Structure formats: C-alpha cells, structure tokens
Amino acid sequence: MQPQQLRDPVLIAAFEGWNDAGDAATSAVEHLALTWDATPLAEIDPENFYDFQVSRPTVKILQGVTRHIEWPTTKLTVCRLPDQSRDVILVHGIEPNFRWKAFCAELVQLALDNGVTTMISLGALLADVAHTRPVQVTGSAHDAETADQLGIIKSTYEGPTGISGVFQDACLQAGIPGVAFWASVPHYVSHAPSPKATLALLHRVEDFLDIAVTPGNYPEQSEEWESEVSQIAEDDDEISEYIKSLEERDSEEEPLTPASGDAIAAEFERYLRRRGPKSWGDKPDKPGRDGR
C-alpha cells in the first residue's frame, strides 16, 4: 500500500499479550480508533511472525453464506483529525511468536514511510496496587526534559521485556522519539476488562498530544468496576486486609513495585470462581460498539 500524505503524524501502539494486563492498553487504542473514525492504513503479513496454533485464525460468515478467514496480525489505521494540526496512526497488534527484530523493522519502516515523527507506546502491567487508588502510570521518554514535562513516574524496572519495549527501542534507533506509558493493574483482579487502567492511559494520551479525548463510558465503567471489586472483597477478611495494607502503603512518591503476594492472588481467584462469574469479570461492550 502506498504511503499516505499525513500531517506530522504521531503513532500510538499497543500489543495484546504480556504487555497488556487487563486488556487495558489495546482497549485504549480500540477506543481511540472508534472515537477518531480510524480507517485502514496497512497490516503486517502474519505468516512469518505468528504461531497459528497459539493465535489461531478465525472463520466468519459473510452475508450468511460466504466463509471468510481472519488471520491474527498487527494492523495500522489512520485517524485524520480535521481540527488538529497532526494526524494519528494507531497500531493494534498481537505480540509475535517469532522474529521480533524483523517484525519491528517492518513496523518501523511503515512508520518512516508515512512520516511518523513521534511514537507513543501503551502498556499495562500487574502490580501490587489497590484497586481503590488512582491508577499509577509509569513510563519512559526519549529525554529527561520530556519526562519532567509529562510528570512521568520513571520506571526502575530491569528484566525481561515484551514487544512494546522492543518496538519502542527500534523506533528510537531509527530516529523516531517517543514515550511509553504503563498503567498498573491490581494483580489480584488481573483479568479483563480493567476500565480504570484504560481510562488512565487515555488521559495520558490526551495530555501528551494536547488533544481532547472523549472518554465514552469509561468513567462510569471504572466506578462500577471499582465498586463491584470492593463488594466482592468485603466478603473475604484476608483479601480485605491485604487491600487495606496496599492502601496504607500507597503514596505518590513510592515507586511501583512488581507483583508479589502470589498466594493471596491465587486465593482471590479461587474465591471468585467459587462465587461464579461476575459482571466486572466479563468483558463489557466498549463505548460505541459491541508485563512489559
């Protein structure tokens, strides 16, 4: 596909998988695509990057008779914002199973071909945080001045990384500066959706681009999610005490810590299963439609 003539485009990327606790990051990109009327731009040929026994293709019926195969892949869409001075390219992908360097090189080339000047990487990680507290967003920027301007809580994480970190590094190496935002998701309620984390990421995009982002139903969904998790936790003294300890430990100056307390988390998951499915544990309709 021929590159489009875009105005000083910024690229926003999120990938399903390890980088996307509670589906928070990819949900943010999906919301932006709906809000900003995204149109197809390009997609990565999945043949060399995905294990189709892990990420299986799906069959869909078109017009009641025609069978159509949809392959798991990474897609790029473009948002032309008439009231703004720049356009936005959205990348919604699946963390590849193979050849990460080649995968990122292909994405970077698409970004360069379309004149991308800045990139934003969105992710979500599991952490020892309380669901009742404001979502802590850590991150990194291409320089200290940008980090200070955005008020980024600098991550001190060192260890294994996901495709989001590799892609951000590939962009920097290619001369495309950018930032990464990582929302913290309570590890004791880690399954999707996590609307509060999604909303926090949308606010970060809004701040960085200085473009108003319509939040849709996410504020209401966030309040409902928090309320329902609290109600469930109240029925278990051990979980309630654990959450209380997280609340007491919390402070703005305290850095985000990797998830621990696996035994308590496992017990909480078992407790939820005993109670049966709850509405906050099922993925609700998105507004307007249906580790790192």
Side-chain angles (χ1 to χ4, degrees), residues 39-196:
T39 58
L41 178 65
E43 65 179 57
I44 301 294
D45 185 343
E47 188 68 22
N48 293 322
F49 303 117
Y50 294 101
D51 180 348
F52 298 133
Q53 290 182 320
V54 176
S55 301
R56 288 187 176 273
T58 57
V59 175
K60 292 198 173 181
I61 304 298
L62 300 179
Q63 299 178 344
V65 290
T66 306
R67 289 166 60 88
H68 172 71
I69 301 292
E70 287 194 357
W71 295 91
T73 189
T74 293
K75 297 182 179 181
L76 290 78
T77 56
V78 62
C79 309
R80 297 181 178 274
L81 307 178
D83 298 329
Q84 304 297 328
S85 61
R86 64 193 317 184
D87 297 314
V88 176
I89 294 175
L90 301 175
V91 176
H92 182 168
I94 304 170
E95 185 172 72
N97 305 104
F98 312 113
R99 304 180 69 231
W100 283 22
K101 290 182 180 180
F103 175 85
C104 289
E106 189 168 332
L107 269 183
V108 167
Q109 190 59 56
L110 283 168
L112 293 172
D113 289 345
N114 285 280
V116 169
T117 55
T118 310
M119 71 86 67
I120 302 173
S121 175
L122 300 181
L125 69 158
L126 302 181
D128 282 334
V129 293
H131 70 281
T132 55
R133 291 293 187 257
V135 174
Q136 192 177 74
V137 179
T138 60
S140 62
H142 56 280
D143 57 51
E145 181 180 358
T146 301
D148 291 339
Q149 288 175 351
L150 294 171
I152 290 176
I153 302 173
K154 300 178 183 66
S155 172
T156 58
Y157 173 82
E158 292 182 328
T161 190
I163 195 62
S164 293
V166 175
F167 179 55
Q168 183 188 16
D169 181 71
C171 286
L172 290 173
Q173 296 299 323
I176 303 175
V179 298
F181 296 120
W182 289 84
S184 57
V185 173
H187 70 87
Y188 57 86
V189 57
S190 59
H191 44 357
S194 188
K196 195 171 178 180

